């Protein structure tokens, strides 16, 4: 894994972990549980992929979750 991709990957993972904490500081919305589960699953998938070196698959997960993050608040 190149240094640039590793930086991107670990930065994204840190962002998702931070989002788990942030979701509890905001006022609870209608989809609070769905967003919490979404963030937990993303962190778990990305961490497992990093451990087993499936970083290309994890990159797809990161891209898909970024799209979902845009669509969930619109709902």
């Amino acid at each position: 894994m190149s240094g640039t991709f590793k930086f991107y990957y670990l930065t994204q993972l840190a962002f998702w972990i931070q989002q788990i904490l942030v979701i509890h500081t905001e006022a609870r919305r209608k989809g609070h549980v769905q967003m919490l589960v979404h963030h937990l699953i993303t962190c778990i998938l990305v961490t497992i992929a990093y451990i087993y070196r499936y970083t290309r698959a994890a990159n797809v997960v990161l891209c898909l979750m970024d799209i979902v993050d845009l669509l969930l608040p619109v709902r």
Side-chain angles (χ1 to χ4, degrees), residues 2-3 8 14-15 29 35 42 47 50-51 53 58 60 67 69:
S2 71
Y8 159 75
F15 170 77
R29 299 182 193 176
M35 286 298 285
T42 302
T47 302
Y50 184 76
I51 291 169
R53 299 179 187 215
V60 172
I67 292 169
D69 247 3

Side-chain angles (χ1 to χ4, degrees), residues 4-72:
T4 306
F5 183 69
K6 187 172 187 174
F7 175 77
Y8 159 75
Y9 194 88
L10 293 177
T11 302
Q12 283 283 62
L13 181 58
F15 170 77
W16 286 104
I17 292 170
Q18 176 259 348
Q19 286 296 316
I20 293 172
L21 300 174
V22 167
I23 198 166
H24 293 297
T25 61
E26 297 177 341
R28 289 203 175 212
R29 299 182 193 176
K30 187 169 112 180
H32 176 79
V33 174
Q34 290 88 349
M35 286 298 285
L36 180 63
V37 170
H38 161 73
H39 293 303
L40 286 172
I41 289 172
T42 302
C43 287
I44 291 168
L45 286 173
V46 172
T47 302
I48 290 171
Y50 184 76
I51 291 169
Y52 289 106
R53 299 179 187 215
Y54 290 122
T55 53
R56 288 185 180 180
N59 191 32
V60 172
V61 170
L62 289 171
C63 292
L64 290 174
M65 292 300 124
D66 285 341
I67 292 169
V68 170
D69 247 3
L70 293 173
L71 297 177
L72 278 177

